């Protein structure tokens, strides 16, 4: 209720202010005319102060009622110019009217600003024709009046267009950032959950087959299912916590530091992973470390699901300018690239880092995935 009351008070104050400005615009032409008329023998504070205050009020009304305020300015200064045809009055006429046209072009739709432009040009040209004597001076005045108002309108319209363009660019960049973040979250969810569910499915199948004949193996399978489920749940909680905190740091995995745990859980699923390191091991950029781990994770998950083999090899080669990640098996996997989002996610991760990924069946049998990840200066 308090918020509603404050809103109504603000609305009432705004309406009262607008009404006061409208009244000022209505009385502005006669007040300015009599001020100019009284100032024929010299302007004093009595002549200048009321007109100055009302001029400011009418200029303030331009934002709320632009065409009405412009009409008041044109009427008042036309009367003033007819009463005192002097350069000073003509200059003030042009400054106030052209400034109002520029403000209208800056803040209002095109049809409103073009209406204001047409009215201002028409009235100013009419004043020049009525007040100026024929000759070169009249031609010059007509040219100035005809050019000054369009230039003012063009300046306001250009600034408005630039602001709109900048706003559109900012909105597009924000939308692209949101889409990129959604894709990143989707890739991480897929990689994490797909691996865990694959391991759970394998272990559940093993446990179901041996529960009567080999209770110990069944218990091991259940233990592996429990461990994998807990790790997945913990990862989901970390991810949700990071999203709630708007934390840009990836909270789902430590990168290649989690490779030992991945090897262990994959081994529990019946696939032994042989990890080979070549080159000088060193700290990796965070995005490369994460991408390398996710590529290995997705690749060994595909081995567990599709290869029908008991082993695979993971090779990590540290070069001067790139990290080479290779996962290969000798199973009976698909003859082409397997369908699904796994390889698509790996290609997106690699592409975002400026690297390359190849995947396909090996000539000697099995399947091979190789990713080349630049270590510096190539991310885009």
């Amino acid at each position: 209720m308090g918020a509603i009351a404050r809103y109504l008070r603000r609305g009432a104050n705004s309406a009262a202010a607008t009404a006061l400005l409208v009244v000022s615009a209505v009385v502005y032409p006669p007040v300015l005319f009599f001020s100019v008329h009284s100032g024929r023998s010299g302007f004093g504070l009595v002549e200048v102060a009321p007109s100055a205050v009302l001029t400011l009020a009418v200029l303030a009304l331009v934002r709320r009622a632009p065409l009405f305020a412009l009409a008041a300015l044109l009427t008042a200064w036309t009367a003033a110019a007819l009463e005192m045809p002097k350069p000073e009055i003509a200059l003030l006429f042009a400054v106030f009217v052209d400034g109002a046209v520029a403000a209208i072009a800056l803040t209002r739709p095109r049809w409103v600003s073009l209406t204001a432009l047409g009215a201002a040009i028409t009235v100013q040209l009419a004043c020049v024709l009525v007040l100026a004597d024929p000759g070169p001076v009249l031609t010059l005045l007509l040219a100035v009046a005809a050019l000054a108002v369009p230039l003012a309108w063009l300046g306001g319209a250009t600034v408005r267009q630039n602001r709109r363009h900048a706003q559109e660019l900012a909105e597009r960049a924000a939308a692209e950032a949101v889409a990129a973040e959604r894709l990143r979250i989707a890739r991480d969810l897929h990689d994490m959950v797909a691996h865990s569910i694959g391991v759970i499915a394998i272990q559940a199948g093993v446990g179901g087959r041996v529960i009567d004949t080999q209770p110990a193996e069944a218990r091991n399978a259940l233990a592996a299912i429990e461990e994998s489920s807990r790790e997945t749940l913990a990862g989901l909680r970390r991810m949700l916590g990071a999203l709630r905190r708007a934390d840009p740091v990836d909270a789902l995995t430590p990168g290649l530091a989690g490779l030992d745990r991945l090897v262990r859980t994959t081994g529990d699923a019946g696939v032994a992973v042989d990890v080979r390191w070549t080159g000088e091991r060193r700290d990796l950029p965070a995005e490369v470390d994460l991408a390398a781990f996710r590529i290995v994770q997705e690749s060994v998950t595909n081995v567990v699901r599709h290869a029908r083999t008991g082993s695979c090899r993971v090779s990590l080669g540290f070069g001067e300018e790139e990290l080479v990640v290779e996962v290969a098996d000798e199973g009976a996997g698909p003859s082409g690239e397997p369908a699904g989002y796994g390889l698509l996610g790996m290609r997106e991760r690699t592409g975002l880092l400026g690297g390359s990924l190849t995947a396909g069946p090996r000539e000697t049998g099995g399947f091979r995935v190789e990713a080349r990840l630049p270590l510096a200066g190539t991310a885009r």
Side-chain angles (χ1 to χ4, degrees):
M1 293 298 293
I4 295 176
R6 286 193 298 271
Y7 175 79
L8 291 177
R9 285 197 298 271
R10 284 198 300 269
N13 293 337
S14 177
T18 301
L20 180 61
L21 294 177
V22 169
V23 172
S24 300
V26 171
V27 302
Y28 180 52
V31 170
L32 182 65
F33 176 81
F34 286 114
S35 295
V36 172
H37 179 75
S38 301
R40 283 181 173 273
S41 57
F43 288 98
L45 183 62
V46 176
E47 291 82 12
V48 172
S51 297
V53 172
L54 290 175
T55 299
L56 294 176
V58 175
L59 292 176
L61 186 62
V62 170
R63 290 184 60 86
R64 306 187 184 206
L67 295 181
F68 181 75
L70 180 65
L73 284 169
L74 289 172
T75 303
W77 285 99
T78 298
L82 293 174
E83 176 64 18
M84 184 180 288
K86 291 186 176 181
E88 295 84 354
I89 299 296
L91 179 61
L92 290 175
F93 189 167
V95 168
F96 290 133
V97 171
D98 294 358
V101 170
I104 293 171
L106 177 63
T107 58
R108 294 294 174 169
R110 183 63 59 89
W111 72 269
V112 177
S113 65
L114 288 176
T115 302
L117 172 64
I121 289 180
T122 301
V123 173
Q124 290 194 21
L125 290 179
C127 286
V128 171
L129 289 173
V130 170
L131 298 175
D133 295 329
V137 175
L138 175 62
T139 303
L140 178 62
L141 292 175
L142 288 173
V144 171
L147 288 176
V149 183
L151 288 176
W153 178 89
L154 182 62
T158 300
V159 173
R160 175 183 172 84
Q161 184 65 28
N162 290 340
R163 287 180 178 178
R164 179 181 298 177
H165 182 62
Q167 181 179 1
E168 291 175 353
L169 290 178
E171 291 175 353
R172 187 182 307 169
E176 291 176 353
V178 170
E181 183 66 11
R182 286 176 177 173
L183 286 175
R184 185 189 70 83
I185 294 171
R187 285 195 301 266
D188 286 341
L189 279 174
H190 174 272
D191 293 345
M192 178 178 63
V193 176
H195 173 74
S196 299
I197 295 302
V199 171
I200 290 171
I202 294 295
Q203 293 292 349
V206 172
R209 286 193 296 270
V210 303
I211 191 168
D212 294 325
T213 59
Q214 301 179 43
E217 287 298 324
R219 282 194 296 272
N220 291 336
L222 290 173
I225 290 173
E226 180 183 10
E227 181 182 1
S228 183
S229 301
R230 290 182 183 277
E231 289 181 356
T232 303
L233 182 59
L236 289 173
R237 285 174 175 168
R238 289 194 299 270
M239 183 192 70
L240 292 175
L243 291 176
R244 290 192 183 102
R245 297 190 304 270
D247 191 350
V249 178
D250 192 293
L252 298 182
T253 177
L256 291 178
L259 193 56
D260 291 340
R261 186 175 66 251
L262 176 65
V263 170
R264 186 175 65 255
T265 57
T266 306
D268 292 339
V271 176
V273 180
D274 178 19
V275 179
R276 302 179 183 180
W277 304 82
T278 60
E280 182 183 354
R281 292 179 61 175
R282 57 190 183 275
D283 292 336
L284 297 172
E287 62 274 14
V288 175
D289 194 24
L290 174 62
F293 179 84
R294 289 306 194 196
I295 290 169
V296 173
Q297 183 183 49
E298 177 60 28
S299 298
V300 298
T301 299
N302 287 336
V303 173
V304 172
R305 286 179 166 181
H306 308 296
R308 298 189 295 277
T309 183
S311 64
C312 68
R313 184 184 72 253
V314 174
S315 300
L316 298 162
F318 286 77
E320 291 295 329
E321 299 181 351
E322 66 180 7
L323 174 70
V324 180
V325 180
E326 181 188 57
V327 181
D329 65 80
E330 298 180 353
S335 58
E337 290 193 4
Y341 295 104
L343 278 175
L344 177 61
M346 286 191 280
R347 290 193 186 282
E348 288 179 350
R349 289 184 184 277
T350 307
L352 288 173
L353 296 174
S356 62
L357 184 137
T358 58
R362 304 168 63 195
E363 294 182 359
T364 58
F367 201 83
R368 175 177 173 271
V369 174
E370 182 187 77
R372 294 182 173 272
L373 306 176
L375 296 181
T378 54
R380 62 177 185 270

